[in-house]
mmCIF file with all atom_site columns, all heavy atoms in Angstrom:
data_model
loop_
_atom_site.group_PDB
_atom_site.id
_atom_site.type_symbol
_atom_site.label_atom_id
_atom_site.label_alt_id
_atom_site.label_comp_id
_atom_site.label_asym_id
_atom_site.label_entity_id
_atom_site.label_seq_id
_atom_site.pdbx_PDB_ins_code
_atom_site.Cartn_x
_atom_site.Cartn_y
_atom_site.Cartn_z
_atom_site.occupancy
_atom_site.B_iso_or_equiv
_atom_site.pdbx_formal_charge
_atom_site.auth_seq_id
_atom_site.auth_comp_id
_atom_site.auth_asym_id
_atom_site.auth_atom_id
_atom_site.pdbx_PDB_model_num
ATOM 1  N N   . ASN A 1 20 ? -16.015 18.088 0.827  1.00 0.00 ? 184 ASN A N   1
ATOM 2  C CA  . ASN A 1 20 ? -16.800 16.982 0.257  1.00 0.00 ? 184 ASN A CA  1
ATOM 3  C C   . ASN A 1 20 ? -16.057 16.308 -0.890 1.00 0.00 ? 184 ASN A C   1
ATOM 4  O O   . ASN A 1 20 ? -16.112 15.086 -1.057 1.00 0.00 ? 184 ASN A O   1
ATOM 5  C CB  . ASN A 1 20 ? -18.154 17.493 -0.227 1.00 0.00 ? 184 ASN A CB  1
ATOM 6  C CG  . ASN A 1 20 ? -19.097 17.810 0.920  1.00 0.00 ? 184 ASN A CG  1
ATOM 7  O OD1 . ASN A 1 20 ? -18.905 17.326 2.031  1.00 0.00 ? 184 ASN A OD1 1
ATOM 8  N ND2 . ASN A 1 20 ? -20.106 18.620 0.662  1.00 0.00 ? 184 ASN A ND2 1
ATOM 9  N N   . TYR A 1 21 ? -15.377 17.116 -1.695 1.00 0.00 ? 185 TYR A N   1
ATOM 10 C CA  . TYR A 1 21 ? -14.616 16.572 -2.822 1.00 0.00 ? 185 TYR A CA  1
ATOM 11 C C   . TYR A 1 21 ? -13.575 15.571 -2.317 1.00 0.00 ? 185 TYR A C   1
ATOM 12 O O   . TYR A 1 21 ? -13.460 14.452 -2.829 1.00 0.00 ? 185 TYR A O   1
ATOM 13 C CB  . TYR A 1 21 ? -13.932 17.707 -3.581 1.00 0.00 ? 185 TYR A CB  1
ATOM 14 C CG  . TYR A 1 21 ? -12.907 17.238 -4.598 1.00 0.00 ? 185 TYR A CG  1
ATOM 15 C CD1 . TYR A 1 21 ? -13.274 16.950 -5.910 1.00 0.00 ? 185 TYR A CD1 1
ATOM 16 C CD2 . TYR A 1 21 ? -11.570 17.073 -4.239 1.00 0.00 ? 185 TYR A CD2 1
ATOM 17 C CE1 . TYR A 1 21 ? -12.331 16.516 -6.836 1.00 0.00 ? 185 TYR A CE1 1
ATOM 18 C CE2 . TYR A 1 21 ? -10.627 16.634 -5.156 1.00 0.00 ? 185 TYR A CE2 1
ATOM 19 C CZ  . TYR A 1 21 ? -11.016 16.357 -6.453 1.00 0.00 ? 185 TYR A CZ  1
ATOM 20 O OH  . TYR A 1 21 ? -10.083 15.919 -7.352 1.00 0.00 ? 185 TYR A OH  1
ATOM 21 N N   . LEU A 1 22 ? -12.803 15.970 -1.303 1.00 0.00 ? 186 LEU A N   1
ATOM 22 C CA  . LEU A 1 22 ? -11.763 15.088 -0.781 1.00 0.00 ? 186 LEU A CA  1
ATOM 23 C C   . LEU A 1 22 ? -12.363 13.843 -0.136 1.00 0.00 ? 186 LEU A C   1
ATOM 24 O O   . LEU A 1 22 ? -11.840 12.732 -0.297 1.00 0.00 ? 186 LEU A O   1
ATOM 25 C CB  . LEU A 1 22 ? -10.902 15.846 0.232  1.00 0.00 ? 186 LEU A CB  1
ATOM 26 C CG  . LEU A 1 22 ? -9.999  16.940 -0.332 1.00 0.00 ? 186 LEU A CG  1
ATOM 27 C CD1 . LEU A 1 22 ? -9.224  17.616 0.793  1.00 0.00 ? 186 LEU A CD1 1
ATOM 28 C CD2 . LEU A 1 22 ? -9.037  16.384 -1.377 1.00 0.00 ? 186 LEU A CD2 1
ATOM 29 N N   . ALA A 1 23 ? -13.471 14.019 0.594  1.00 0.00 ? 187 ALA A N   1
ATOM 30 C CA  . ALA A 1 23 ? -14.117 12.872 1.236  1.00 0.00 ? 187 ALA A CA  1
ATOM 31 C C   . ALA A 1 23 ? -14.622 11.879 0.193  1.00 0.00 ? 187 ALA A C   1
ATOM 32 O O   . ALA A 1 23 ? -14.413 10.659 0.322  1.00 0.00 ? 187 ALA A O   1
ATOM 33 C CB  . ALA A 1 23 ? -15.272 13.346 2.122  1.00 0.00 ? 187 ALA A CB  1
ATOM 34 N N   . ASN A 1 24 ? -15.271 12.378 -0.845 1.00 0.00 ? 188 ASN A N   1
ATOM 35 C CA  . ASN A 1 24 ? -15.781 11.494 -1.897 1.00 0.00 ? 188 ASN A CA  1
ATOM 36 C C   . ASN A 1 24 ? -14.648 10.798 -2.636 1.00 0.00 ? 188 ASN A C   1
ATOM 37 O O   . ASN A 1 24 ? -14.750 9.614  -2.982 1.00 0.00 ? 188 ASN A O   1
ATOM 38 C CB  . ASN A 1 24 ? -16.635 12.289 -2.882 1.00 0.00 ? 188 ASN A CB  1
ATOM 39 C CG  . ASN A 1 24 ? -17.959 12.725 -2.286 1.00 0.00 ? 188 ASN A CG  1
ATOM 40 O OD1 . ASN A 1 24 ? -18.455 12.132 -1.339 1.00 0.00 ? 188 ASN A OD1 1
ATOM 41 N ND2 . ASN A 1 24 ? -18.544 13.775 -2.829 1.00 0.00 ? 188 ASN A ND2 1
ATOM 42 N N   . LEU A 1 25 ? -13.561 11.530 -2.871 1.00 0.00 ? 189 LEU A N   1
ATOM 43 C CA  . LEU A 1 25 ? -12.416 10.938 -3.556 1.00 0.00 ? 189 LEU A CA  1
ATOM 44 C C   . LEU A 1 25 ? -11.808 9.813  -2.714 1.00 0.00 ? 189 LEU A C   1
ATOM 45 O O   . LEU A 1 25 ? -11.532 8.723  -3.226 1.00 0.00 ? 189 LEU A O   1
ATOM 46 C CB  . LEU A 1 25 ? -11.366 12.015 -3.834 1.00 0.00 ? 189 LEU A CB  1
ATOM 47 C CG  . LEU A 1 25 ? -10.049 11.532 -4.448 1.00 0.00 ? 189 LEU A CG  1
ATOM 48 C CD1 . LEU A 1 25 ? -10.277 10.818 -5.775 1.00 0.00 ? 189 LEU A CD1 1
ATOM 49 C CD2 . LEU A 1 25 ? -9.087  12.704 -4.618 1.00 0.00 ? 189 LEU A CD2 1
ATOM 50 N N   . CYS A 1 26 ? -11.623 10.073 -1.430 1.00 0.00 ? 190 CYS A N   1
ATOM 51 C CA  . CYS A 1 26 ? -11.044 9.046  -0.545 1.00 0.00 ? 190 CYS A CA  1
ATOM 52 C C   . CYS A 1 26 ? -11.950 7.824  -0.447 1.00 0.00 ? 190 CYS A C   1
ATOM 53 O O   . CYS A 1 26 ? -11.476 6.679  -0.464 1.00 0.00 ? 190 CYS A O   1
ATOM 54 C CB  . CYS A 1 26 ? -10.794 9.639  0.841  1.00 0.00 ? 190 CYS A CB  1
ATOM 55 S SG  . CYS A 1 26 ? -9.407  10.809 0.912  1.00 0.00 ? 190 CYS A SG  1
#
Side-chain angles (χ1 to χ4, degrees):
N184 287 340
Y185 169 89
L186 290 179
N188 289 337
L189 175 58
C190 288

